[in-house]
Amino acid sequence: MSRAGTNAHGTAADLGTAPSHLSATRGTVVAVHGSVVDVRFQGALPLIHALLRAGDAPGVVIEVRSQLDERTVRGMAMTAAQGLARGMTVKDTGGPLQAPVGPGLRSRMLDVFGQAIDRGGPLTGMSWRSVHQPPPPLSQRSVRSEVFETGIKIIDVLMPLERGGKAGLFGGAGVGKTVLLTEMIHNVINKQEGISLFCGIGERCREGAELYATVKETGVLPGMVMVFGQMNELPGNRFRVGHTALTMAEYFRDEEHRDVLLLMDNIFRFIQAGMEVSGMMGHMPSRLGYQPTMGTELAALEERIASTSTGAITSIQAVYVPADDLTDPAAVHTFSHLSASIVLSRKRAGEGLYPAIDPLRSGSRMATPAVIGERHAWLAMAIRSTLAKYEELKDIIAMLGLEQLSSEDRRVVDRARKLERFLTQPFHTTGSYSSYEGRTVGLADALEGCERILRDECAALPESALYMVGTIDEAFQRTSAHGRTDHAS
């Protein structure tokens, strides 16, 4: 077996490299171009993805990206390259980047090298394995279709997620991707016995600190692992942090036989990091400046997220959409890997309809009668049909007014507006800076509410009564309370 594919054991001080008992080859730095380093060896060349260490410990860690000739390799620095100079001695560590795996990962926050960054002390009792693992073979994959409930009404009703599948949150800056991910952590981690693993790719330092504080306050930290590659880190780090997190997720699935919820924020930053690496390595860019290998690199990560007979990795990924353009190559390539697509709308966010999910542009391959049942599938279709009809009538309403519509169309508009407001939901994670107490709503309650609106059982309710409620009964209680107050006054 090649050195790049073997598992090894080490300590956190190894910066994720293979142990020293493997044969080490020494070379010399011959050129430094920012984070790109050329190294010449007299003996055998290191393998692709092997880690090199330049200078005295801890030194500069370099990942081999290409072999230029029979003596020279070119690599990307994964730690700060300040101090690198021609003639500096470089040591081949004998293996690729390693990730720590073991029960001790729970409640810890780590970097791409598997080092603790939560002030909780170094990891102990860990084994280490290569981050470059193959996806599970087809013979071991599970083909059962199961729904993964999130407790968020609009998602569970209109775009149900798949257990062991991949869902994408598509949206531009500031429309609520991170808030939606954080709410899913809160809702799901208390219901399942599995592990939640949050991978921050290109995250702001503030966001990482806030997330850690939030999950610690809510008491869900013992069932979580967090891995961060921060925005200010080198592109080589941001490009590999997803592989590190996925290697840990595979351990919990394959060794501990647990279900894993893998949340990635943001998969676009992974593509962006690959674009930076590709550009610095001198590769010819593809459309809109993306790397020509984007499809292959994304597939190598996404295909490892799968459900097997021992457990499932369910992934929910935030995807930044440049300029809200869903035809951007990054969004298009990501779409092809997903079982559910949740598209966030800036227009709905501007109208205060949170979560700002566009129900007509989002979808799931699970929304079929064979998987979710006849009643659920019929309700989802009726809701989409009602909302689509309302979209068609908006221009007429804007030009001529609501009074010019037929009585049937006015009923459609009334149902659609009430459905839009009922599908809003107050989040637990936003309760500290909003006036609404968070709600987690089961699928049965969400379906009942939508069905009663479609049957015009809520025709007498004001639209405001349905805004930011949990179940439909809360809307009736809110109206009754207001009615009693008005009567008393």
Side-chain angles (χ1 to χ4, degrees):
M1 183 180 289
S2 68
R3 287 176 293 170
T6 57
N7 293 347
H9 299 272
T11 65
D14 292 325
L15 285 182
T17 64
S20 57
H21 69 262
L22 293 178
S23 58
T25 305
R26 296 185 180 273
T28 305
V29 174
V30 294
V32 181
H33 307 280
S35 297
V36 180
V37 185
D38 292 350
V39 184
R40 180 165 294 155
F41 289 85
Q42 296 303 316
L45 285 183
L47 300 175
I48 300 297
H49 296 155
L51 287 195
L52 314 178
R53 193 191 304 277
D56 299 328
V60 178
V61 178
I62 304 165
E63 183 183 57
V64 175
R65 300 289 301 179
S66 65
Q67 297 178 344
L68 300 182
D69 54 42
E70 65 273 10
R71 289 282 177 265
T72 311
V73 298
R74 176 167 290 172
M76 289 292 303
M78 297 188 70
T79 54
Q82 286 87 346
L84 272 182
R86 290 183 182 178
M88 185 174 286
T89 300
V90 176
K91 175 185 173 184
D92 176 13
T93 63
L97 179 66
Q98 305 276 319
V101 294
L105 289 174
R106 290 180 180 84
S107 78
R108 303 307 302 269
M109 181 159 55
L110 314 166
D111 63 10
V112 67
F113 299 109
Q115 292 183 308
I117 54 175
D118 56 3
R119 300 181 183 176
L123 296 174
T124 57
M126 295 288 107
S127 59
W128 296 71
R129 63 175 61 172
S130 168
V131 302
H132 305 284
Q133 299 289 340
L138 291 177
S139 59
Q140 295 180 10
R141 294 184 180 234
S142 172
V143 294
R144 293 175 57 193
S145 294
E146 299 179 43
V147 173
F148 182 86
E149 284 193 35
T150 64
I152 299 172
K153 288 182 288 189
I154 190 169
I155 294 177
D156 290 340
V157 171
L158 293 179
M159 55 221 69
L161 306 188
E162 179 184 13
R163 176 183 174 270
K166 297 178 277 285
L169 303 179
F170 292 83
V175 293
K177 297 185 299 297
T178 302
V179 170
L180 199 53
L181 279 181
T182 310
E183 183 70 10
M184 287 184 186
I185 293 173
H186 179 278
N187 291 355
V188 172
I189 202 168
N190 289 318
K191 292 195 306 180
Q192 66 168 3
E193 297 180 357
I195 296 292
S196 289
L197 201 152
F198 185 92
C199 176
I201 306 175
E203 286 282 275
R204 301 172 183 87
C205 300
R206 168 185 58 80
E207 291 176 338
E210 287 177 354
L211 177 65
Y212 184 79
T214 299
V215 298
K216 193 171 184 178
E217 288 173 7
T218 54
V220 298
L221 186 61
M224 273 199 80
V225 183
M226 284 176 278
V227 185
F228 281 94
Q230 294 174 180
M231 186 176 282
N232 62 313
E233 295 184 16
L234 296 174
N237 283 25
R238 288 180 274 122
F239 188 61
R240 288 295 177 222
V241 69
H243 297 86
T244 297
L246 195 47
T247 303
M248 297 174 183
E250 289 169 338
Y251 161 78
F252 287 111
R253 180 193 66 191
D254 300 334
E255 305 298 328
E256 294 198 2
H257 300 180
R258 291 180 176 272
D259 285 353
V260 182
L261 176 62
L262 175 62
L263 303 118
M264 305 182 79
D265 187 8
N266 181 310
I267 203 68
F268 175 79
R269 303 297 178 198
F270 166 76
I271 296 173
Q272 191 177 48
M275 181 167 57
E276 292 180 47
V277 170
S278 178
M280 287 190 287
M281 294 297 292
H283 299 160
M284 183 70 72
S286 182
R287 183 184 165 210
L288 298 183
Y290 287 105
Q291 64 271 37
T293 55
M294 176 173 64
T296 303
E297 292 168 353
L298 186 61
L301 184 73
E302 296 281 5
E303 287 302 301
R304 291 171 62 184
I305 302 171
S307 180
T308 67
S309 58
T310 59
I313 300 177
T314 303
S315 175
I316 302 174
Q317 308 167 11
V319 187
Y320 169 71
V321 181
D324 294 337
D325 180 15
L326 289 175
T327 64
D328 187 89
V332 171
H333 278 269
T334 307
F335 265 124
S336 63
H337 293 281
L338 304 176
S339 56
S341 302
I342 302 169
V343 179
L344 299 175
S345 163
R346 195 173 301 280
K347 182 175 179 238
R348 290 177 67 84
E351 294 171 353
L353 299 175
Y354 291 104
I357 297 171
D358 189 331
L360 300 179
R361 300 171 76 190
S362 306
S364 168
R365 68 183 181 91
M366 301 291 287
T368 62
V371 177
I372 61 176
E374 294 283 350
R375 174 173 175 259
H376 187 171
W378 179 86
L379 281 173
M381 184 179 65
I383 293 167
R384 289 181 189 277
S385 176
T386 302
L387 295 176
K389 181 67 174 176
Y390 177 44
E391 283 296 317
E392 294 175 5
L393 295 171
K394 278 184 177 178
D395 289 339
I396 298 175
I397 296 170
M399 290 186 293
L400 303 177
L402 188 63
E403 297 76 14
Q404 300 302 314
L405 298 179
S406 66
S407 59
E408 178 58 32
D409 284 346
R410 284 200 294 271
R411 282 195 293 271
V412 169
V413 171
D414 181 66
R415 291 182 205 124
R417 290 181 61 85
K418 285 177 177 173
L419 282 170
E420 283 184 337
R421 280 144 187 81
F422 178 67
L423 291 175
T424 61
Q425 188 168 338
F427 283 174
H428 297 86
T429 52
T430 59
S432 59
Y433 52 87
S434 73
S435 57
Y436 299 101
E437 183 181 349
R439 294 284 190 276
T440 302
V441 183
L443 176 60
D445 289 332
L447 291 175
E448 181 192 0
C450 293
E451 188 172 28
R452 293 176 69 176
I453 292 172
L454 289 170
R455 288 177 175 174
D456 291 333
E457 293 181 22
C458 304
L461 287 180
E463 293 176 1
S464 59
L466 293 158
Y467 181 71
M468 288 294 175
V469 297
T471 64
I472 196 72
D473 291 334
E474 289 181 34
F476 282 100
Q477 292 167 8
R478 180 185 291 181
T479 305
S480 300
H482 289 174
R484 285 197 300 271
T485 302
D486 293 341
H487 182 74
S489 62

